[in-house]
PDB file of all heavy atoms in Angstrom:
ATOM      1  N   THR A   1     -49.384  46.163  14.363  1.00 98.00           N
ATOM      2  CA  THR A   1     -47.925  46.168  14.454  1.00 98.00           C
ATOM      3  C   THR A   1     -47.297  45.921  13.088  1.00 98.00           C
ATOM      4  O   THR A   1     -47.582  44.918  12.434  1.00 98.00           O
ATOM      5  CB  THR A   1     -47.438  45.085  15.438  1.00 98.00           C
ATOM      6  OG1 THR A   1     -47.957  45.353  16.745  1.00 98.00           O
ATOM      7  CG2 THR A   1     -45.916  45.055  15.496  1.00 98.00           C
ATOM      8  N   THR A   2     -46.462  46.847  12.666  1.00 98.00           N
ATOM      9  CA  THR A   2     -45.720  46.681  11.413  1.00 98.00           C
ATOM     10  C   THR A   2     -44.592  45.677  11.634  1.00 98.00           C
ATOM     11  O   THR A   2     -43.762  45.845  12.531  1.00 98.00           O
ATOM     12  CB  THR A   2     -45.124  48.023  10.952  1.00 98.00           C
ATOM     13  OG1 THR A   2     -46.186  48.941  10.689  1.00 98.00           O
ATOM     14  CG2 THR A   2     -44.271  47.847   9.703  1.00 98.00           C
ATOM     15  N   ILE A   3     -44.557  44.627  10.812  1.00 98.00           N
ATOM     16  CA  ILE A   3     -43.491  43.624  10.870  1.00 98.00           C
ATOM     17  C   ILE A   3     -42.793  43.598   9.516  1.00 98.00           C
ATOM     18  O   ILE A   3     -43.371  43.203   8.505  1.00 98.00           O
ATOM     19  CB  ILE A   3     -44.022  42.223  11.231  1.00 98.00           C
ATOM     20  CG1 ILE A   3     -44.840  42.262  12.531  1.00 98.00           C
ATOM     21  CG2 ILE A   3     -42.856  41.238  11.368  1.00 98.00           C
ATOM     22  CD1 ILE A   3     -45.397  40.909  12.941  1.00 98.00           C
ATOM     23  N   GLN A   4     -41.554  44.049   9.515  1.00 98.00           N
ATOM     24  CA  GLN A   4     -40.756  44.085   8.296  1.00 98.00           C
ATOM     25  C   GLN A   4     -40.000  42.767   8.117  1.00 98.00           C
ATOM     26  O   GLN A   4     -39.713  42.061   9.074  1.00 98.00           O
ATOM     27  CB  GLN A   4     -39.717  45.203   8.371  1.00 98.00           C
ATOM     28  CG  GLN A   4     -40.265  46.599   8.568  1.00 98.00           C
ATOM     29  CD  GLN A   4     -39.144  47.596   8.782  1.00 98.00           C
ATOM     30  OE1 GLN A   4     -38.261  47.375   9.602  1.00 98.00           O
ATOM     31  NE2 GLN A   4     -39.155  48.691   8.036  1.00 98.00           N
ATOM     32  N   TYR A   5     -39.634  42.504   6.859  1.00 96.00           N
ATOM     33  CA  TYR A   5     -38.703  41.409   6.583  1.00 96.00           C
ATOM     34  C   TYR A   5     -37.362  42.001   6.193  1.00 96.00           C
ATOM     35  O   TYR A   5     -37.288  42.974   5.431  1.00 96.00           O
ATOM     36  CB  TYR A   5     -39.196  40.509   5.445  1.00 96.00           C
ATOM     37  CG  TYR A   5     -38.117  39.527   5.013  1.00 96.00           C
ATOM     38  CD1 TYR A   5     -37.881  38.381   5.763  1.00 96.00           C
ATOM     39  CD2 TYR A   5     -37.287  39.801   3.931  1.00 96.00           C
ATOM     40  CE1 TYR A   5     -36.849  37.512   5.415  1.00 96.00           C
ATOM     41  CE2 TYR A   5     -36.260  38.940   3.575  1.00 96.00           C
ATOM     42  CZ  TYR A   5     -36.042  37.797   4.327  1.00 96.00           C
ATOM     43  OH  TYR A   5     -35.017  36.943   4.006  1.00 96.00           O
ATOM     44  N   GLY A   6     -36.275  41.431   6.711  1.00 94.00           N
ATOM     45  CA  GLY A   6     -34.936  41.844   6.326  1.00 94.00           C
ATOM     46  C   GLY A   6     -34.069  40.631   6.060  1.00 94.00           C
ATOM     47  O   GLY A   6     -34.161  39.623   6.751  1.00 94.00           O
ATOM     48  N   GLY A   7     -33.217  40.715   5.088  1.00 88.00           N
ATOM     49  CA  GLY A   7     -32.309  39.615   4.772  1.00 88.00           C
ATOM     50  C   GLY A   7     -32.151  39.464   3.281  1.00 88.00           C
ATOM     51  O   GLY A   7     -32.916  38.738   2.639  1.00 88.00           O
ATOM     52  N   SER A   8     -31.201  40.200   2.698  1.00 88.00           N
ATOM     53  CA  SER A   8     -30.937  40.162   1.257  1.00 88.00           C
ATOM     54  C   SER A   8     -32.170  40.532   0.437  1.00 88.00           C
ATOM     55  O   SER A   8     -32.454  39.923  -0.598  1.00 88.00           O
ATOM     56  CB  SER A   8     -30.389  38.790   0.837  1.00 88.00           C
ATOM     57  OG  SER A   8     -29.140  38.538   1.452  1.00 88.00           O
ATOM     58  N   VAL A   9     -32.908  41.544   0.909  1.00 93.00           N
ATOM     59  CA  VAL A   9     -34.018  42.078   0.122  1.00 93.00           C
ATOM     60  C   VAL A   9     -33.453  42.801  -1.093  1.00 93.00           C
ATOM     61  O   VAL A   9     -32.507  43.583  -0.978  1.00 93.00           O
ATOM     62  CB  VAL A   9     -34.875  43.052   0.951  1.00 93.00           C
ATOM     63  CG1 VAL A   9     -36.020  43.609   0.105  1.00 93.00           C
ATOM     64  CG2 VAL A   9     -35.406  42.372   2.196  1.00 93.00           C
ATOM     65  N   SER A  10     -34.027  42.543  -2.255  1.00 94.00           N
ATOM     66  CA  SER A  10     -33.557  43.178  -3.487  1.00 94.00           C
ATOM     67  C   SER A  10     -34.756  43.597  -4.326  1.00 94.00           C
ATOM     68  O   SER A  10     -35.897  43.214  -4.062  1.00 94.00           O
ATOM     69  CB  SER A  10     -32.690  42.201  -4.293  1.00 94.00           C
ATOM     70  OG  SER A  10     -33.483  41.131  -4.793  1.00 94.00           O
ATOM     71  N   ALA A  11     -34.476  44.384  -5.363  1.00 94.00           N
ATOM     72  CA  ALA A  11     -35.546  44.786  -6.271  1.00 94.00           C
ATOM     73  C   ALA A  11     -36.159  43.569  -6.959  1.00 94.00           C
ATOM     74  O   ALA A  11     -37.332  43.592  -7.341  1.00 94.00           O
ATOM     75  CB  ALA A  11     -35.005  45.776  -7.301  1.00 94.00           C
ATOM     76  N   ALA A  12     -35.369  42.505  -7.087  1.00 94.00           N
ATOM     77  CA  ALA A  12     -35.855  41.312  -7.783  1.00 94.00           C
ATOM     78  C   ALA A  12     -36.815  40.484  -6.934  1.00 94.00           C
ATOM     79  O   ALA A  12     -37.714  39.829  -7.478  1.00 94.00           O
ATOM     80  CB  ALA A  12     -34.662  40.449  -8.214  1.00 94.00           C
ATOM     81  N   ASN A  13     -36.639  40.488  -5.608  1.00 94.00           N
ATOM     82  CA  ASN A  13     -37.495  39.626  -4.774  1.00 94.00           C
ATOM     83  C   ASN A  13     -38.484  40.404  -3.908  1.00 94.00           C
ATOM     84  O   ASN A  13     -39.322  39.809  -3.237  1.00 94.00           O
ATOM     85  CB  ASN A  13     -36.640  38.713  -3.889  1.00 94.00           C
ATOM     86  CG  ASN A  13     -35.738  39.466  -2.914  1.00 94.00           C
ATOM     87  OD1 ASN A  13     -36.080  40.521  -2.409  1.00 94.00           O
ATOM     88  ND2 ASN A  13     -34.562  38.896  -2.637  1.00 94.00           N
ATOM     89  N   ALA A  14     -38.393  41.733  -3.916  1.00 96.00           N
ATOM     90  CA  ALA A  14     -39.201  42.525  -2.991  1.00 96.00           C
ATOM     91  C   ALA A  14     -40.692  42.362  -3.219  1.00 96.00           C
ATOM     92  O   ALA A  14     -41.471  42.201  -2.265  1.00 96.00           O
ATOM     93  CB  ALA A  14     -38.814  44.003  -3.099  1.00 96.00           C
ATOM     94  N   ALA A  15     -41.132  42.393  -4.469  1.00 96.00           N
ATOM     95  CA  ALA A  15     -42.573  42.327  -4.741  1.00 96.00           C
ATOM     96  C   ALA A  15     -43.176  41.031  -4.218  1.00 96.00           C
ATOM     97  O   ALA A  15     -44.265  41.030  -3.632  1.00 96.00           O
ATOM     98  CB  ALA A  15     -42.824  42.475  -6.239  1.00 96.00           C
ATOM     99  N   GLU A  16     -42.474  39.921  -4.413  1.00 96.00           N
ATOM    100  CA  GLU A  16     -42.992  38.632  -3.929  1.00 96.00           C
ATOM    101  C   GLU A  16     -43.028  38.605  -2.411  1.00 96.00           C
ATOM    102  O   GLU A  16     -44.017  38.154  -1.814  1.00 96.00           O
ATOM    103  CB  GLU A  16     -42.128  37.486  -4.454  1.00 96.00           C
ATOM    104  CG  GLU A  16     -42.652  36.111  -4.035  1.00 96.00           C
ATOM    105  CD  GLU A  16     -41.806  34.974  -4.550  1.00 96.00           C
ATOM    106  OE1 GLU A  16     -40.722  35.232  -5.108  1.00 96.00           O
ATOM    107  OE2 GLU A  16     -42.233  33.807  -4.392  1.00 96.00           O
ATOM    108  N   LEU A  17     -41.968  39.088  -1.763  1.00 95.00           N
ATOM    109  CA  LEU A  17     -41.946  39.112  -0.300  1.00 95.00           C
ATOM    110  C   LEU A  17     -43.058  39.998   0.248  1.00 95.00           C
ATOM    111  O   LEU A  17     -43.776  39.619   1.176  1.00 95.00           O
ATOM    112  CB  LEU A  17     -40.589  39.621   0.190  1.00 95.00           C
ATOM    113  CG  LEU A  17     -39.404  38.671   0.055  1.00 95.00           C
ATOM    114  CD1 LEU A  17     -38.093  39.420   0.237  1.00 95.00           C
ATOM    115  CD2 LEU A  17     -39.497  37.526   1.064  1.00 95.00           C
ATOM    116  N   PHE A  18     -43.222  41.178  -0.339  1.00 96.00           N
ATOM    117  CA  PHE A  18     -44.193  42.142   0.172  1.00 96.00           C
ATOM    118  C   PHE A  18     -45.637  41.737  -0.117  1.00 96.00           C
ATOM    119  O   PHE A  18     -46.561  42.312   0.454  1.00 96.00           O
ATOM    120  CB  PHE A  18     -43.924  43.529  -0.424  1.00 96.00           C
ATOM    121  CG  PHE A  18     -42.611  44.138  -0.014  1.00 96.00           C
ATOM    122  CD1 PHE A  18     -42.061  45.198  -0.738  1.00 96.00           C
ATOM    123  CD2 PHE A  18     -41.900  43.664   1.085  1.00 96.00           C
ATOM    124  CE1 PHE A  18     -40.858  45.775  -0.368  1.00 96.00           C
ATOM    125  CE2 PHE A  18     -40.685  44.233   1.463  1.00 96.00           C
ATOM    126  CZ  PHE A  18     -40.163  45.284   0.727  1.00 96.00           C
ATOM    127  N   SER A  19     -45.830  40.774  -1.013  1.00 96.00           N
ATOM    128  CA  SER A  19     -47.191  40.322  -1.314  1.00 96.00           C
ATOM    129  C   SER A  19     -47.766  39.446  -0.209  1.00 96.00           C
ATOM    130  O   SER A  19     -48.979  39.214  -0.168  1.00 96.00           O
ATOM    131  CB  SER A  19     -47.205  39.548  -2.638  1.00 96.00           C
ATOM    132  OG  SER A  19     -46.516  38.300  -2.507  1.00 96.00           O
ATOM    133  N   SER A  20     -46.919  38.967   0.698  1.00 96.00           N
ATOM    134  CA  SER A  20     -47.394  38.133   1.807  1.00 96.00           C
ATOM    135  C   SER A  20     -48.213  38.994   2.767  1.00 96.00           C
ATOM    136  O   SER A  20     -47.835  40.126   3.076  1.00 96.00           O
ATOM    137  CB  SER A  20     -46.204  37.515   2.534  1.00 96.00           C
ATOM    138  OG  SER A  20     -45.441  36.704   1.656  1.00 96.00           O
ATOM    139  N   PRO A  21     -49.319  38.480   3.269  1.00 97.00           N
ATOM    140  CA  PRO A  21     -50.245  39.312   4.047  1.00 97.00           C
ATOM    141  C   PRO A  21     -49.690  39.849   5.349  1.00 97.00           C
ATOM    142  O   PRO A  21     -50.151  40.887   5.829  1.00 97.00           O
ATOM    143  CB  PRO A  21     -51.437  38.378   4.306  1.00 97.00           C
ATOM    144  CG  PRO A  21     -50.913  36.988   4.079  1.00 97.00           C
ATOM    145  CD  PRO A  21     -49.858  37.119   3.040  1.00 97.00           C
ATOM    146  N   ASP A  22     -48.697  39.175   5.945  1.00 98.00           N
ATOM    147  CA  ASP A  22     -48.150  39.630   7.215  1.00 98.00           C
ATOM    148  C   ASP A  22     -46.795  40.302   7.077  1.00 98.00           C
ATOM    149  O   ASP A  22     -46.153  40.616   8.085  1.00 98.00           O
ATOM    150  CB  ASP A  22     -48.052  38.461   8.207  1.00 98.00           C
ATOM    151  CG  ASP A  22     -49.410  38.081   8.758  1.00 98.00           C
ATOM    152  OD1 ASP A  22     -49.982  38.884   9.505  1.00 98.00           O
ATOM    153  OD2 ASP A  22     -49.918  36.991   8.409  1.00 98.00           O
ATOM    154  N   VAL A  23     -46.337  40.541   5.857  1.00 97.00           N
ATOM    155  CA  VAL A  23     -45.067  41.233   5.618  1.00 97.00           C
ATOM    156  C   VAL A  23     -45.386  42.678   5.259  1.00 97.00           C
ATOM    157  O   VAL A  23     -45.980  42.961   4.218  1.00 97.00           O
ATOM    158  CB  VAL A  23     -44.257  40.552   4.496  1.00 97.00           C
ATOM    159  CG1 VAL A  23     -42.967  41.333   4.216  1.00 97.00           C
ATOM    160  CG2 VAL A  23     -43.928  39.108   4.871  1.00 97.00           C
ATOM    161  N   ASP A  24     -44.991  43.594   6.132  1.00 98.00           N
ATOM    162  CA  ASP A  24     -45.420  44.991   6.028  1.00 98.00           C
ATOM    163  C   ASP A  24     -44.315  45.929   5.582  1.00 98.00           C
ATOM    164  O   ASP A  24     -44.319  47.120   5.894  1.00 98.00           O
ATOM    165  CB  ASP A  24     -45.944  45.466   7.396  1.00 98.00           C
ATOM    166  CG  ASP A  24     -46.997  44.534   7.951  1.00 98.00           C
ATOM    167  OD1 ASP A  24     -47.896  44.133   7.189  1.00 98.00           O
ATOM    168  OD2 ASP A  24     -46.915  44.191   9.145  1.00 98.00           O
ATOM    169  N   GLY A  25     -43.328  45.395   4.874  1.00 97.00           N
ATOM    170  CA  GLY A  25     -42.222  46.219   4.416  1.00 97.00           C
ATOM    171  C   GLY A  25     -40.910  45.500   4.622  1.00 97.00           C
ATOM    172  O   GLY A  25     -40.870  44.289   4.872  1.00 97.00           O
ATOM    173  N   GLY A  26     -39.823  46.247   4.533  1.00 98.00           N
ATOM    174  CA  GLY A  26     -38.515  45.620   4.612  1.00 98.00           C
ATOM    175  C   GLY A  26     -37.500  46.471   5.346  1.00 98.00           C
ATOM    176  O   GLY A  26     -37.612  47.697   5.401  1.00 98.00           O
ATOM    177  N   LEU A  27     -36.525  45.791   5.929  1.00 97.00           N
ATOM    178  CA  LEU A  27     -35.321  46.427   6.450  1.00 97.00           C
ATOM    179  C   LEU A  27     -34.204  46.003   5.509  1.00 97.00           C
ATOM    180  O   LEU A  27     -33.796  44.840   5.493  1.00 97.00           O
ATOM    181  CB  LEU A  27     -35.040  45.995   7.890  1.00 97.00           C
ATOM    182  CG  LEU A  27     -33.815  46.628   8.560  1.00 97.00           C
ATOM    183  CD1 LEU A  27     -33.899  48.143   8.559  1.00 97.00           C
ATOM    184  CD2 LEU A  27     -33.658  46.117   9.991  1.00 97.00           C
ATOM    185  N   VAL A  28     -33.732  46.951   4.722  1.00 97.00           N
ATOM    186  CA  VAL A  28     -32.888  46.657   3.560  1.00 97.00           C
ATOM    187  C   VAL A  28     -31.450  47.037   3.860  1.00 97.00           C
ATOM    188  O   VAL A  28     -31.173  48.158   4.290  1.00 97.00           O
ATOM    189  CB  VAL A  28     -33.394  47.438   2.326  1.00 97.00           C
ATOM    190  CG1 VAL A  28     -32.587  47.074   1.091  1.00 97.00           C
ATOM    191  CG2 VAL A  28     -34.885  47.177   2.109  1.00 97.00           C
ATOM    192  N   GLY A  29     -30.532  46.108   3.608  1.00 95.00           N
ATOM    193  CA  GLY A  29     -29.117  46.359   3.845  1.00 95.00           C
ATOM    194  C   GLY A  29     -28.405  46.847   2.604  1.00 95.00           C
ATOM    195  O   GLY A  29     -28.501  48.006   2.220  1.00 95.00           O
ATOM    196  N   GLY A  30     -27.689  45.962   1.934  1.00 95.00           N
ATOM    197  CA  GLY A  30     -26.835  46.343   0.816  1.00 95.00           C
ATOM    198  C   GLY A  30     -27.544  47.107  -0.281  1.00 95.00           C
ATOM    199  O   GLY A  30     -26.989  48.057  -0.851  1.00 95.00           O
ATOM    200  N   ALA A  31     -28.773  46.717  -0.584  1.00 96.00           N
ATOM    201  CA  ALA A  31     -29.500  47.367  -1.676  1.00 96.00           C
ATOM    202  C   ALA A  31     -29.899  48.797  -1.339  1.00 96.00           C
ATOM    203  O   ALA A  31     -30.273  49.564  -2.227  1.00 96.00           O
ATOM    204  CB  ALA A  31     -30.740  46.546  -2.043  1.00 96.00           C
ATOM    205  N   SER A  32     -29.814  49.183  -0.058  1.00 98.00           N
ATOM    206  CA  SER A  32     -30.156  50.559   0.310  1.00 98.00           C
ATOM    207  C   SER A  32     -29.014  51.528   0.009  1.00 98.00           C
ATOM    208  O   SER A  32     -29.179  52.740   0.137  1.00 98.00           O
ATOM    209  CB  SER A  32     -30.522  50.644   1.795  1.00 98.00           C
ATOM    210  OG  SER A  32     -29.381  50.460   2.628  1.00 98.00           O
ATOM    211  N   LEU A  33     -27.872  50.993  -0.394  1.00 98.00           N
ATOM    212  CA  LEU A  33     -26.714  51.836  -0.687  1.00 98.00           C
ATOM    213  C   LEU A  33     -26.675  52.311  -2.134  1.00 98.00           C
ATOM    214  O   LEU A  33     -25.774  53.053  -2.529  1.00 98.00           O
ATOM    215  CB  LEU A  33     -25.423  51.073  -0.363  1.00 98.00           C
ATOM    216  CG  LEU A  33     -25.269  50.648   1.104  1.00 98.00           C
ATOM    217  CD1 LEU A  33     -24.044  49.766   1.286  1.00 98.00           C
ATOM    218  CD2 LEU A  33     -25.192  51.864   2.017  1.00 98.00           C
ATOM    219  N   LYS A  34     -27.656  51.872  -2.934  1.00 98.00           N
ATOM    220  CA  LYS A  34     -27.779  52.318  -4.318  1.00 98.00           C
ATOM    221  C   LYS A  34     -29.183  52.870  -4.500  1.00 98.00           C
ATOM    222  O   LYS A  34     -30.171  52.164  -4.283  1.00 98.00           O
ATOM    223  CB  LYS A  34     -27.528  51.158  -5.285  1.00 98.00           C
ATOM    224  CG  LYS A  34     -26.116  50.579  -5.189  1.00 98.00           C
ATOM    225  CD  LYS A  34     -25.915  49.434  -6.158  1.00 98.00           C
ATOM    226  CE  LYS A  34     -24.498  48.871  -6.076  1.00 98.00           C
ATOM    227  NZ  LYS A  34     -24.301  47.717  -7.001  1.00 98.00           N
TER     228      LYS A  34
END
């Protein structure tokens, strides 16, 4: 099961969040508009 993280995901914090073994991607809000 893919489990994404969402909540103020940005280019600055994405790599650290995605490095966690159970974080399989992101649901991106504001940063997806650029």
Side-chain angles (χ1 to χ4, degrees):
T1 299
T2 297
I3 306 180
Q4 301 174 311
Y5 170 79
S8 296
V9 179
S10 68
N13 61 34
E16 183 180 8
L17 287 165
F18 295 162
S19 69
S20 300
D22 285 292
V23 177
D24 308 315
L27 182 57
V28 184
S32 70
L33 299 173
K34 297 180 179 178

